[in-house]
Every structure is written in C-alpha cells, then in structure tokens.
Amino acid sequence: MNIDVLISNLTNPVLLFFVLGIIATLVKSDLKIPESSSKFISLYLLFAIGFKGGQELSHSEFNAEILYSILFAIFLSVIVPIYTFYMLKSKVGIPNAGAIAAAYGSVSAVTFVTSVSFLENQGITFGGHMVAIMAIMESPAIIVGVILIMVNDSTQKEKKSIGSIIKHSFTSGSVLMLVGSLVIGLIADATQARGIEPFTTDIFKGFLSLFLLEMGMVTASRIKGFKKYGLFLFFFGILVPLFNGMIVAYLSGFITESAGNRFLFAILAAGASYIAVPATMKLAEPRADAGIYIPMALGITFPFNITIGMPIYFAIVQLF
C-alpha cells in the first residue's frame, strides 16, 4: 500500500471533520447540527452525486461494459447477503442476521461520496454510470435479507409481501432522491444543467464535511451501546467489508479497465447501509435490533473504510 495515499487520506479535511465529531461527543460538547439542517445536507449530497452522475451518464454510450457492470452489481448485492446471513444467524439470531446481511449487501451512499472525493484528489476519473450502479445495489440486498428471514424463521406468523418490500425499498426517501436526481441529470439539457454546476460542484465538499462532522458525533454516541454484543460483531464489521472490498477490487478488473470504476466497485462492495436498510427493516422486520446493525455499519465499517479501507482497495486496483 502506498503510504503517501494513506497519509493523504488521513489528513483530508473532510475526514478530519469526522474525527472532530467523534471528539466533540467524547468531551461532551454541546456542538450539534440541527435535525432540519442535517436532513437538508443528506438530501443535498444525494442530489448532487445523482445529478452529476446522470450528466456523466448522458455523455456515455451504453455498451457491453455498462451492461456487465450492472449484472456484476446485482450479483454482488445478492451473494453478499446470502453468505453473511449464514455466518451470523447462529450468533445473533435470524431477524438480526437478516438485517445485518441486508446492510452489508447494500451500499453506503456517504462512503461512495467520500470515495468520489478521494478519486478527485488523486486526479482519477470514473464513469457516470457508477452512480446508477450504486442505486441499483440498494434494493436487491434488502429484498434478499428479508427473504432469508422468511425462509429460515418457521416461527414468524406475519409474512410481509415481497411486493411491499420492493416498493418501500424504491420509494425510500434516500433512494428516490438518488435515482430521481440521476434521471433528471440524464435527461436535462447540458447547457441548462451548467447553470447549477456551482451548486452541485463548488460547495459539495463543504457540505460533505458538515455531514461527516455529524456522522462522527452519531458514531461516538451509538458505539457505546454496541459493546455488549462482544468482539465478534466488531471484527465482522471490519474483516467482512475488507474481504469484500479486496476481492471485488481484483475481480472488477475482468469487468472494466477503469481504475476509478474498479475502486468504486470495491467501495460499494465494502460499504454497509445505515440509511435505506434501517428505514426498510423497520417495516419489514421490526424484531431486528437497530442497536446492532446501525452501530456496526456507522460506527465500525464506515470509519474503517474511509480511513484504512480506501487506500487498501486503491492499492489492489493499482497492483492488478
């Protein structure tokens, strides 16, 4: 691994604001981002990354690489929940195993956004279709996770319809904003779209910094309640994403030659959802303990990926 890349990532102002958020909670500071502002920032980030991706996609010709990328993404979002579920069900029970499996098979939009910033710092380009890939990977993992619970839990009397689960996964606010912005960016007139570039580009990293400041505070507050579940889930939250990211960083080389696309594939495989999955699982499987899978995704996997994981996946892409 290139130590310069690691140092550059660890001293990135965006990441340092995440650390500041952790420190603020540990010292019991009254620093707080208002809830309404937090929701706006979240929507802004999804809007900006979706719209920019749609614009990039509008300039791309649909070809075999994009088709293979979509199929590869769907495969990942199905296989990861399956193997993680069977690793977990004897440790945390079927409902929790299904929720965790769905989270780790799905993607983290904020990790993806941070990775885009990482690529920009390295001067590496990527295809606009990767934003569509991120959106595509959200729902299959959630659906697979719920199906695994239904199939394995003979005591569950109330079965949620697959149709309602699919509908909720696509109409979830975060997914709808991301997909909607992508479609608008795809069909928008290029000349007209340039008029909002200062909003989607120039202030992007500033809003990302504020968002990660809050994520740092949330991480530090929720990780305390996670300690009672032991070291198994802690190591799971690091080693499983690391394995997924490293394997996909290599395998993606058979799909695309683009270093940027391969790196983003690795990030998508390594990330864990803490937005779309909790919202969906609250409806589909209320028995699953959000006090387990949210701290795992947000307090362990997310900080690992944006500090140590990204340079590792990037190094593998460069090596192979």
Side-chain angles (χ1 to χ4, degrees):
M1 178 171 58
N2 189 335
I3 192 65
D4 293 334
V5 174
L6 176 59
I7 294 173
S8 175
N9 199 40
L10 292 176
T11 56
N12 187 331
V14 173
L15 176 59
L16 293 177
F17 274 100
F18 177 79
V19 176
L20 177 61
I22 294 176
I23 294 172
T25 298
L26 294 179
V27 301
K28 300 185 181 346
S29 169
D30 61 356
L31 177 64
K32 185 178 180 181
I33 295 178
E35 185 178 351
S36 58
S37 299
S38 174
K39 289 182 178 179
F40 168 75
I41 293 171
S42 300
L43 290 174
Y44 165 78
L45 293 175
L46 293 170
F47 152 72
I49 194 69
F51 186 82
K52 288 191 291 185
Q55 282 285 287
E56 290 293 329
L57 191 59
S58 68
H59 302 140
S60 305
E61 183 179 350
F62 189 85
N63 52 32
E65 179 182 323
I66 294 179
L67 175 61
Y68 293 147
S69 294
I70 292 172
L71 295 176
F72 185 53
I74 294 173
F75 170 77
L76 290 175
S77 61
V78 170
I79 197 67
V80 171
I82 291 175
Y83 95 81
T84 53
F85 176 84
Y86 288 103
M87 286 178 63
L88 289 162
K89 75 171 186 173
S90 63
K91 299 287 186 180
V92 298
I94 290 172
N96 287 329
I100 297 171
Y104 281 83
S106 189
V107 298
S108 168
V110 179
T111 308
F112 183 89
V113 170
T114 309
S115 302
V116 169
S117 177
F118 175 87
L119 288 177
E120 290 175 350
N121 289 339
Q122 300 297 319
I124 298 174
T125 60
F126 63 94
H129 66 278
M130 292 305 298
V131 181
I133 295 296
M134 176 177 63
I136 288 169
M137 290 180 70
E138 280 275 21
S139 297
I142 297 172
I143 295 166
V144 170
V146 175
I147 290 174
L148 286 168
I149 295 173
M150 291 179 174
V151 170
N152 286 271
D153 190 0
S154 58
T155 65
Q156 187 176 3
K157 294 180 180 179
E158 285 192 21
K159 306 291 184 181
K160 303 294 182 181
S161 79
I162 297 300
S164 67
I165 296 167
I166 294 174
K167 178 183 177 181
H168 186 76
S169 64
F170 277 106
T171 57
S172 169
S174 58
V175 177
L176 187 61
M177 173 59 87
L178 180 65
V179 175
S181 299
L182 176 71
V183 173
I184 292 172
L186 179 64
I187 64 177
D189 177 76
T191 303
Q192 298 287 344
R194 280 195 292 271
I196 63 172
E197 274 187 4
F199 185 66
T200 59
T201 304
D202 295 348
I203 63 174
F204 180 81
K205 288 185 180 179
F207 274 112
L208 178 59
S209 298
L210 286 175
F211 185 83
L212 289 184
L213 171 68
E214 185 190 23
M215 287 298 99
M217 291 187 283
V218 173
T219 296
S221 63
R222 289 186 177 175
I223 200 67
K224 296 176 184 177
F226 176 75
K227 293 178 181 178
K228 63 181 179 180
Y229 296 106
L231 291 176
F232 172 78
L233 293 181
F234 175 82
F235 286 114
F236 180 96
I238 292 176
L239 297 179
V240 168
L242 179 62
F243 172 78
N244 292 341
M246 292 174 65
I247 290 294
V248 172
Y250 172 73
L251 292 178
S252 60
F254 295 98
I255 304 296
T256 176
E257 295 180 356
S258 167
N261 292 351
R262 292 180 60 193
F263 174 73
L264 291 178
F265 259 125
I267 287 296
L268 291 172
S273 171
Y274 49 84
I275 299 175
V277 167
T280 306
M281 281 296 165
K282 186 176 181 180
L283 169 72
E285 186 45 80
R287 295 177 302 165
D289 185 359
I292 298 178
Y293 59 86
I294 292 179
M296 284 181 69
L298 182 58
I300 298 173
T301 301
F302 174 67
F304 171 78
N305 274 330
I306 64 174
T307 53
I308 307 299
M310 288 199 295
I312 293 175
Y313 312 142
F314 186 67
I316 292 174
V317 168
Q318 289 184 310
L319 183 63
F320 297 101

